[in-house]
Amino acid sequence: MPTASLTRQSTLLQPGHANAFVAEGFGIAPHVVASSDELRGLRLAVKDVFDVEGQRLGAGNPLWLGQQTPATSTALIVARLLEAGAQWIGKTVTDELAFSLLGINTHYGTPDNAASPGRIVGGSSSGSAAAVAAGFADIGLGTDCGGSCRLPASHCGVWGIRPTQGRIAGRGGFSLAHSFDTAGWFTRDADTLASVFTVLTEEVVPPLRDTASTSLNCHIVLDAIADCDPAVRAALPDLLARLGMAMSLTTLSEGELPLDDWAKAHRWLQGAEIWQQHGHWVREHGHSLAPDVLRRFLAGAAVSRQDVSRAQRTRVHAMQHLARVLDDPHAVLIFPTSPGAAPARHATQDALETHRSRAQRHLCIAGLAGLPEVSLPWLRVATSDGPGGEAPVGLSVVGARGNDALVIAAARRLADIGTA
């Protein structure tokens, strides 16, 4: 049980702290009675895509919010965390209909990045990441469809997880793309991340001591490293030297993972599913969306059946290939979560889209194959594009399907060894 945050007391915050919270539902606790103390004293912020009894679900768009009626029940995952003793804080900002990796919302604003003021948080679970990074919450519940927990974790210097696809019950909320959506969460430390996982899955994360960590087989993904910013690449030799003294390291040679093809397949499949679910609403109400969000919806509408078939074949190939690579029960992949630091908030739209496209090459690995991934705080790199002198970049650990506990344990061990 984590102890670092147990002495914190819940305070009645006002909407706008770190620009992370939405007004509706703020400070109003759902009617759930705590039945255990596993998460006692830990403050919970919840992305505004989960049902909360008596409150409307806004999904980052005022028109969508206005069309909803109050939920008649609370999403299972939210209820489970509250039953475990977590303290309700409020609902957090999300990108419009959760369809962005940037964390910029035309209607509700851009949450503040406490780890790197003046830079974007990343999305779409932007408010939950910002609330945790700023210390207003100990657990930030989000969702991850294309990287919406992992990328904000990297940008904000916090822990973030995408569990195995389907591992966490997702009933009770907004769905973006059904075969990619999964709940995820942010914390400031590994123990809290592991405690939440145990509450939600009933599986305990085993500690990896010095002797046990030597059995880890860590595959370094050169394809993800090749397009990283120079400052990120420059930090890798020191990391690998430290890790190599404590565990087995191998490399997946450049070209082994066709990340451009995988990222394209991810976009096509995700876009087609999103249009399938939300195309009718967008046809009628697309005028309420920011131009970049609307463009992504319309790109999904343009995906043909032939594109879907090709992308699905690529997906199957990716799943089979990664299953072979991760066949050893102690095998994990390691690579930077993002190619570089978060862009400045004042960056041009072209620069933001370039950043989004580059990040997708890293995020598609676990997303396309439905694998568990943890992004842990790794380093701060020097920046020269405006605000601040340094900004965070996370390190990702990916494991085989269903091997979430090992991924969390391995990430915790890597943090002890390589990111001090």
Side-chain angles (χ1 to χ4, degrees):
M1 177 67 194
T3 58
S5 302
L6 293 185
T7 58
R8 293 181 180 273
Q9 300 295 316
S10 288
T11 54
L12 183 59
L13 307 176
Q14 295 299 316
H17 271 62
N19 293 315
F21 295 93
V22 298
E24 177 148 323
F26 187 86
I28 302 173
H31 301 296
V32 178
V33 178
S35 57
S36 76
D37 62 358
E38 294 170 272
L39 301 177
R40 185 178 181 82
L42 299 180
R43 300 158 301 162
L44 173 66
V46 175
K47 184 177 181 178
D48 192 16
V49 295
F50 291 96
D51 286 338
V52 175
E53 183 178 3
Q55 302 177 22
R56 296 178 300 170
L57 187 157
N61 182 276
L63 182 56
W64 182 281
L65 173 68
Q67 295 173 341
Q68 309 308 306
T69 57
T72 57
S73 62
T74 295
L76 181 61
I77 186 173
V78 178
R80 185 67 192 93
L81 296 176
L82 294 172
E83 288 167 358
Q87 298 177 358
W88 175 264
I89 296 296
K91 294 200 291 188
T92 57
V93 173
T94 175
D95 292 1
E96 287 188 87
L97 304 191
F99 198 7
S100 180
L101 286 172
L102 301 177
I104 299 170
N105 188 306
T106 297
H107 309 286
Y108 297 104
T110 301
D112 298 329
N113 187 339
S116 188
R119 297 188 179 278
I120 64 170
V121 170
S124 63
S125 304
S126 54
S128 291
V132 169
F136 296 127
D138 304 299
I139 304 165
L141 187 62
T143 57
D144 190 305
C145 184
S148 294
C149 280
R150 295 162 287 160
L151 192 62
S154 179
H155 289 346
C156 293
V158 298
W159 290 72
I161 184 171
R162 173 196 172 88
T164 292
Q165 189 71 34
R167 184 72 190 272
I168 307 296
R171 187 172 74 251
F174 176 88
S175 173
L176 182 62
H178 55 273
S179 76
F180 292 96
D181 284 336
T182 182
W185 57 94
F186 306 94
T187 64
R188 288 187 300 280
D189 62 85
D191 287 347
T192 304
L193 189 91
S195 294
V196 172
F197 175 78
T198 297
V199 164
L200 296 175
T201 66
E202 302 295 337
E203 182 180 2
V204 176
V205 177
L208 278 183
R209 306 303 180 193
D210 290 346
T211 53
S213 67
T214 59
S215 65
L216 276 177
N217 183 10
C218 300
H219 298 289
I220 312 304
V221 182
L222 294 186
D223 284 301
I225 293 170
D227 67 344
C228 286
D229 291 346
V232 176
R233 292 199 304 272
L236 282 163
D238 178 64
L239 170 68
L240 299 182
R242 281 185 278 167
L243 296 182
M245 292 187 290
M247 58 192 66
S248 171
L249 294 184
T250 59
T251 58
L252 298 184
S253 58
E254 198 167 342
E256 183 168 346
L257 303 187
L259 298 186
D260 288 329
D261 292 342
W262 287 9
K264 180 187 291 186
H266 191 290
R267 284 194 300 273
W268 281 355
L269 292 173
Q270 184 190 53
E273 287 184 14
I274 290 170
W275 188 254
Q276 179 187 56
Q277 289 195 86
H278 300 296
H280 176 75
W281 191 90
V282 172
R283 284 192 189 98
E284 200 168 337
H285 305 295
H287 63 275
S288 72
L289 298 170
D292 63 312
V293 177
L294 179 58
R295 280 197 300 272
R296 283 192 282 279
F297 275 103
L298 296 179
V303 177
S304 67
R305 292 179 179 178
Q306 292 77 15
D307 292 337
V308 169
S309 295
R310 285 196 296 272
Q312 187 58 29
R313 288 194 293 272
T314 300
R315 186 184 209 175
V316 170
H317 168 77
M319 295 173 72
Q320 292 173 338
H321 184 75
L322 290 172
R324 289 191 295 270
V325 171
L326 297 169
D327 183 54
D328 176 350
H330 297 100
V332 294
L333 308 178
I334 299 176
F335 53 90
T337 306
S338 171
R345 291 174 64 151
H346 60 67
T348 66
Q349 189 62 42
D350 285 347
L352 293 171
E353 286 301 322
T354 296
H355 173 75
R356 180 175 180 272
S357 296
R358 291 177 67 205
Q360 283 179 326
R361 297 182 75 255
H362 295 221
L363 300 168
C364 72
I365 297 172
L368 192 61
L371 303 181
E373 178 176 345
V374 167
S375 177
L376 61 142
W378 173 29
L379 77 155
R380 295 182 65 85
V381 296
T383 58
S384 59
D385 59 346
E390 292 184 333
V393 175
L395 185 69
S396 271
V397 181
V398 172
R401 189 173 185 85
N403 214 4
D404 306 55
L406 174 78
V407 170
I408 297 171
R412 182 160 52 187
R413 184 67 181 131
L414 262 62
D416 291 340
I417 298 170
T419 64

